[in-house]
Amino acid sequence: MAVDYAVIVVYLAGMLAMGWWGMRRARSKSEFLVAGRRLGPPMYSGTMAAIVLGGASTIGGVGLGYQHGLSGAWMVITIGLGLLALSIFFSARIARLKVYTVSEMLDLRYGGSSGVISGIVMWAYTLMLAVTSTIAYATIFDVIFGLDRVVAIILGGAIVVAYSTLGGMWSITLTDMVQFVVKTIGVLLLLLPIAVVKAGGFSAMAAELPDDYFSPMSIGAQTVFTYVLIYSFGMLIGQDIWQRVFTARSDRVAKLGGTAAGVYCLAYAVAGAVIGTAAKVLYPQLASPDDAFATIVKDALPIGVKGLVLAAALSAVMSTSSGALIACATVANNDIWSRIRGRAKTPTTHDEIKGNRLFILIMGAAVIVIAIVLNNVVEALTVAYNLLVGGLLVPILGGLLWKRGTGTGALASVGAGGTTVIVLMAWQGILANEPIYYGLLASLAAYIIVSLATKPTDEAILATWRTRLAGETPAEGEAPTPATT
């Protein structure tokens, strides 16, 4: 086991080294928050795949395969489909806007009327997303080192906060590329074939398990539909995802590189389900499906390979955690704190980098504390995506697709959708399907009705919006149309 420990320690040390290297490149707000908008296709594809395929996709995806068989791939498949839709239909326009946050896009489209409200909703989503990833450290470090849950969360969280604070998006981009490579080797090239061989091959798996383990829809059509609403639509509007789109060198890179990452997600989804199905054959009586990944890694893999695959799991968690953390800090600083203080957004380059570093530290500490207090990853993740999709999907896509949508309609949509989701989660339960169904309906109805009942968006604002969509942008670092609330 000493070899496996060495692999993990070298990996963690490498993450910190990448953070230090990234710090030397992050000398402006653009470089710190969006890697200078300079990523080419290979790096963009790798980092985008790394952030969307986190601990839930890896550990949770294998767990769903253990519980439902091949149909357990649907959760990660819907993530991949959402990324494909974003990349093919929206990413080029998003990249051309040259903004830093989703709320800045809403301000630009609606004339500054989204204000602090949309920022708070997005901040809550990114905060809970970071928390869910941080909780997952407990499982991985327990398998690796037998650490206490609290110690594991603090250790993993501290490493992510450290390299994210040092170099911002440059550090996260560099570490995510390493994490992408480690995940590809560890999960797709090593764990997948070894798990199938250990289980006796596909014929033995088919003979051992019920037929529904090999049915593509045994998980249930309603479950798949809910996954589409939550994860596919969530991929279209999340700050953590958009902030990666902003790093693309061009709209062509965003479109083609994101499409490649989406296809990779589909392959990763099937791999996780197959690994989980093999684990069901090998360990049919596990206490929890989420134990399947750690168990098969611990018992089925040889020394050295085990360390690499555990590093792959750690990579999955860290990539999502770091991406959510910088998104959370960016929203907190640029969309909430700046607006509350009512100050200009560009005092000096030095001050902006320092301020964003401070917010990463503050948000990172908050994430670690909340992760220690909470214990249910699925519930935390569901709260995050329900708030995001129920509150912001309609005004964001409406702004991109419907000229008649107004700022007042957008605010009504955020309020109606967000309130409905919160009330129904409290009434029906966090994991119920009703909150997201009725939240989206309330959001859409409020957006259409209020937009049609109010004065159309000023033509000058729409002209500026069309100019930005065409790629005619102000100088780097210049803020979009200022908020009025």
Coordinates of all heavy atoms in Angstrom, one line a residue, residues 192-209 214 274 277-278 281-282:
L192 N -12.1 0.2 -15.8 CA -13.2 -0.3 -16.6 C -12.8 -1.8 -17.1 O -13.6 -2.7 -16.8 CB -13.5 0.6 -17.8 CG -14.5 0.0 -18.8 CD1 -15.9 -0.3 -18.2 CD2 -14.7 1.0 -20.0
P193 N -11.7 -2.0 -17.8 CA -11.4 -3.3 -18.3 C -11.1 -4.3 -17.1 O -11.5 -5.5 -17.2 CB -10.2 -3.1 -19.2 CG -9.6 -1.8 -18.8 CD -10.8 -1.0 -18.3
I194 N -10.5 -3.8 -16.1 CA -10.1 -4.7 -15.0 C -11.4 -5.2 -14.3 O -11.5 -6.3 -13.9 CB -9.2 -4.0 -14.0 CG1 -7.8 -3.8 -14.6 CG2 -9.0 -4.8 -12.7 CD1 -6.8 -3.0 -13.8
A195 N -12.4 -4.3 -14.1 CA -13.6 -4.6 -13.4 C -14.4 -5.6 -14.2 O -14.9 -6.6 -13.6 CB -14.5 -3.4 -13.2
V196 N -14.5 -5.5 -15.5 CA -15.2 -6.4 -16.4 C -14.5 -7.8 -16.3 O -15.2 -8.8 -16.2 CB -15.3 -5.9 -17.8 CG1 -15.9 -6.9 -18.7 CG2 -16.1 -4.6 -17.8
V197 N -13.2 -7.8 -16.4 CA -12.5 -9.1 -16.4 C -12.7 -9.8 -15.0 O -12.9 -11.0 -14.9 CB -11.0 -8.9 -16.6 CG1 -10.2 -10.1 -16.4 CG2 -10.8 -8.4 -18.1
K198 N -12.6 -9.0 -13.9 CA -12.8 -9.6 -12.6 C -14.2 -10.2 -12.4 O -14.3 -11.2 -11.7 CB -12.5 -8.5 -11.5 CG -11.1 -8.1 -11.3 CD -10.3 -9.1 -10.5 CE -8.9 -8.6 -10.2 NZ -8.1 -9.6 -9.4
A199 N -15.2 -9.6 -13.1 CA -16.5 -10.1 -13.0 C -16.8 -11.2 -13.9 O -17.9 -11.8 -13.9 CB -17.5 -8.9 -13.3
G200 N -15.8 -11.6 -14.7 CA -16.0 -12.8 -15.6 C -16.4 -12.5 -17.0 O -16.7 -13.3 -17.8
G201 N -16.4 -11.2 -17.3 CA -16.8 -10.8 -18.7 C -18.3 -10.5 -18.8 O -19.0 -10.8 -17.8
F202 N -18.7 -9.9 -19.9 CA -20.1 -9.6 -20.0 C -21.1 -10.8 -20.0 O -22.2 -10.7 -19.5 CB -20.3 -8.8 -21.3 CG -19.8 -7.4 -21.2 CD1 -18.6 -7.0 -21.9 CD2 -20.5 -6.4 -20.5 CE1 -18.1 -5.7 -21.8 CE2 -20.0 -5.1 -20.5 CZ -18.8 -4.8 -21.1
S203 N -20.6 -11.9 -20.5 CA -21.5 -13.1 -20.5 C -21.8 -13.6 -19.1 O -22.9 -13.9 -18.8 CB -20.9 -14.2 -21.4 OG -19.6 -14.5 -20.9
A204 N -20.7 -13.6 -18.3 CA -20.9 -14.0 -16.9 C -21.7 -13.0 -16.1 O -22.6 -13.3 -15.3 CB -19.5 -14.1 -16.2
M205 N -21.6 -11.7 -16.4 CA -22.4 -10.7 -15.7 C -23.8 -10.8 -16.1 O -24.7 -10.7 -15.3 CB -21.8 -9.3 -16.1 CG -20.5 -8.9 -15.6 SD -19.6 -7.5 -16.4 CE -20.8 -6.2 -16.1
A206 N -24.1 -11.1 -17.4 CA -25.5 -11.3 -17.8 C -26.1 -12.5 -17.2 O -27.3 -12.5 -16.9 CB -25.5 -11.4 -19.4
A207 N -25.3 -13.6 -17.0 CA -25.9 -14.8 -16.4 C -26.1 -14.6 -14.9 O -27.0 -15.2 -14.3 CB -24.9 -15.9 -16.6
E208 N -25.4 -13.7 -14.3 CA -25.4 -13.6 -12.8 C -26.5 -12.6 -12.4 O -27.1 -12.8 -11.3 CB -24.1 -13.1 -12.3 CG -23.9 -13.0 -10.8 CD -23.8 -14.3 -10.1 OE1 -23.4 -15.3 -10.8 OE2 -24.1 -14.4 -8.9
L209 N -26.8 -11.6 -13.2 CA -27.7 -10.5 -12.8 C -29.0 -10.6 -13.5 O -29.2 -11.2 -14.6 CB -27.0 -9.2 -13.1 CG -25.7 -8.8 -12.4 CD1 -25.1 -7.6 -12.9 CD2 -26.0 -8.7 -10.9
F214 N -29.6 -4.9 -17.7 CA -29.1 -4.6 -19.0 C -30.1 -4.0 -19.9 O -29.9 -3.8 -21.1 CB -28.6 -5.9 -19.7 CG -27.5 -6.6 -18.9 CD1 -27.8 -7.5 -17.9 CD2 -26.2 -6.2 -19.1 CE1 -26.8 -8.1 -17.1 CE2 -25.2 -6.8 -18.3 CZ -25.5 -7.7 -17.3
V274 N -21.1 0.5 -16.3 CA -20.5 -0.9 -16.5 C -19.7 -1.3 -15.3 O -19.8 -2.4 -14.8 CB -19.7 -1.0 -17.8 CG1 -18.9 -2.3 -17.9 CG2 -20.5 -0.8 -19.0
T277 N -22.1 -2.2 -12.6 CA -22.7 -3.5 -12.8 C -21.7 -4.6 -12.5 O -22.1 -5.6 -11.9 CB -23.1 -3.6 -14.3 OG1 -24.0 -2.5 -14.6 CG2 -23.8 -4.9 -14.6
A278 N -20.4 -4.5 -12.8 CA -19.4 -5.5 -12.5 C -19.3 -5.6 -11.0 O -19.1 -6.7 -10.4 CB -18.1 -5.1 -13.1
V281 N -21.9 -7.8 -9.4 CA -21.5 -9.2 -9.5 C -20.5 -9.6 -8.4 O -20.6 -10.7 -7.8 CB -21.0 -9.5 -10.9 CG1 -20.5 -11.0 -11.0 CG2 -22.0 -9.3 -11.9
L282 N -19.5 -8.8 -8.2 CA -18.4 -9.1 -7.3 C -18.8 -8.9 -5.8 O -18.4 -9.7 -5.0 CB -17.2 -8.2 -7.6 CG -16.6 -8.5 -9.0 CD1 -15.5 -7.4 -9.3 CD2 -15.9 -9.8 -9.0

